[in-house]
Amino acid sequence: MKNIVIAPCGNKSDMFYKHWLNQKEIKNFDLCLLFYHEEINDPGLYKDADYFFHLKGFKYHMLHTLFTEVQPAWLQQYDYFYFLDDDIKIDTQHINKMFALSAVFDSWISQASLSKNSYCSWPMFKTQDDSFCRFVGQIEVMAPLFKADALVKCLPSFTGNKSSWGVDSVWSKILDYPEEKLIVFDCVTMEHTQPVGGGELYQKIGVDPKEDWENITKAFGAKKQNYTEYGRLAIINKDHYLFNFLGIKGKEFFRTLQRHINDYDLPSRVKSWFNKLNNSVNVNRNKKNL
């Protein structure tokens, strides 16, 4: 399995070297940075990136350019693509874990849950203590992890507007609203460190993001919001769902007991014991009769 993290970055970006590559010796992914400022103040900061392109645009527009003009072959060369915003705090180990979990669950688009101190628009994406993962109707644009074939299908939507608001609504529509393929992994958390709508992007796009959202969902015939939970895998232990945990442990005990009885062949042994006892009684009777 071949993985890549692709993220926008500017002169003030620091998450990639402080956190994403904090254990670069164990990373199971390549890192590609897409630089959006006009001038690069300190080129040396990006030396640990595997790829660096100065595309000077908005995140999803740069991604569209990358896959259609700069590196179209990557769509066949990589299995999973992780599109992190440059204000997302997540370390190397948890990025590795996201790729591994996405492969195991065969997710089409997934994301880590948001830490409880994160800035967020939709509270449903904050981490749930009693959940391992949740199957949802929509994944946010800030940090989606795409399977390659899902990315190919969704790629035309990347240039649907400037702000990217509503693009995630369109992905669900393009993928025909799957109920088991869009996954939030609560066992992995990330921190969104900047207020929603307060970043540099929103100061320079020159459009109303809410209008962008309205227009793109209409253009694709998508639901404006599909922030729905279809199901989850819950964590069952003595600290979560105590009665369920005790019920499961009880069933395990009786299954183990039954297995031991079967392995020991207790019914046959009891029958043999009764036969021996009966034979002994008959022998004693015969001796008395003699």
Side-chain angles (χ1 to χ4, degrees):
M1 186 177 71
K2 196 171 181 185
N3 309 313
I4 188 167
V5 172
I6 306 177
C9 76
N11 288 311
K12 296 181 180 179
S13 302
D14 60 7
M15 291 294 170
F16 68 92
Y17 64 84
K18 285 185 176 179
H19 300 283
W20 306 350
L21 297 179
N22 73 325
Q23 290 179 280
K24 59 187 176 183
E25 68 279 0
I26 67 165
K27 72 182 179 78
N28 68 357
F29 56 88
D30 292 334
L31 174 63
C32 173
L33 298 177
L34 307 179
F35 199 86
Y36 52 74
H37 284 144
E38 288 291 331
E39 301 294 332
I40 304 173
N41 292 345
D42 187 357
L45 286 178
Y46 315 104
K47 59 182 175 59
D48 289 328
D50 299 285
Y51 304 97
F52 182 91
F53 300 103
H54 193 182
L55 298 182
K56 296 181 287 187
F58 302 118
K59 176 180 177 179
Y60 283 95
H61 286 250
M62 290 192 294
L63 287 168
H64 189 272
T65 299
L66 179 70
F67 294 127
T68 58
E69 300 177 22
V70 182
Q71 293 287 358
W74 282 5
L75 294 172
Q76 286 74 48
Q77 292 173 2
Y78 288 95
D79 300 294
Y80 288 92
F81 300 78
Y82 203 176
F83 303 139
L84 294 172
D85 278 3
D86 61 348
D87 60 354
I88 296 294
K89 184 189 292 186
I90 183 171
D91 63 24
T92 309
Q93 187 174 5
H94 284 91
I95 294 174
N96 286 349
K97 191 173 181 179
M98 278 298 299
F99 282 120
L101 288 168
S102 297
V104 168
F105 281 81
D106 190 32
S107 62
W108 292 350
I109 314 175
S110 63
Q111 71 168 76
S113 61
L114 287 166
S115 63
K116 294 181 180 180
N117 63 330
S118 287
Y119 293 98
C120 78
S121 298
W122 307 102
M124 72 165 286
F125 291 114
K126 286 204 171 183
T127 189
Q128 303 289 311
D129 292 336
D130 57 359
S131 171
F132 182 83
C133 69
R134 287 170 285 148
F135 304 95
V136 297
Q138 191 167 328
I139 296 294
E140 292 185 291
V141 294
M142 71 173 74
L145 195 159
F146 275 84
K147 189 176 181 179
D149 52 0
L151 173 58
V152 171
K153 292 176 182 177
C154 294
L155 186 59
S157 69
F158 283 18
T159 53
N161 60 29
K162 277 190 173 183
S163 68
S164 79
W165 281 40
V167 174
D168 45 359
S169 300
V170 168
W171 297 339
S172 300
K173 165 69 174 180
I174 291 172
L175 298 175
D176 199 26
Y177 296 107
E179 295 188 4
E180 297 178 346
K181 294 298 184 180
L182 308 183
I183 304 176
V184 176
F185 288 107
D186 290 299
C187 57
V188 183
T189 57
M190 61 182 175
E191 181 183 347
H192 186 206
T193 60
Q194 296 296 323
V196 177
E200 183 180 344
L201 166 67
Y202 299 96
Q203 299 172 17
K204 66 180 183 180
I205 57 176
V207 297
D208 182 349
K210 292 181 180 179
E211 287 185 13
D212 263 0
W213 187 5
E214 192 77 37
N215 292 337
I216 194 171
T217 50
K218 283 183 178 178
F220 282 84
K223 298 176 186 178
K224 189 175 178 182
Q225 298 180 25
N226 196 38
Y227 296 109
T228 302
E229 181 181 324
Y230 294 114
R232 65 171 61 188
L233 295 181
I235 297 173
I236 302 295
N237 60 37
K238 63 182 179 180
D239 297 319
H240 303 90
Y241 298 109
L242 179 60
F243 290 109
N244 285 356
F245 173 75
L246 293 175
I248 289 171
K249 284 297 182 184
K251 288 178 182 178
E252 287 179 357
F253 171 76
F254 285 110
R255 279 198 297 267
T256 302
L257 182 60
Q258 184 179 32
R259 186 172 66 252
H260 286 324
I261 290 172
N262 291 336
D263 290 345
Y264 189 69
D265 196 13
L266 184 60
S268 296
R269 289 173 182 268
V270 170
K271 184 178 179 180
S272 176
W273 181 77
F274 273 112
N275 287 337
K276 288 179 180 179
L277 180 62
N278 188 50
N279 290 336
S280 176
V281 170
N282 290 334
V283 167
N284 289 333
R285 282 176 181 172
N286 291 334
K287 285 181 178 179
K288 287 182 180 179
N289 292 333
L290 291 173

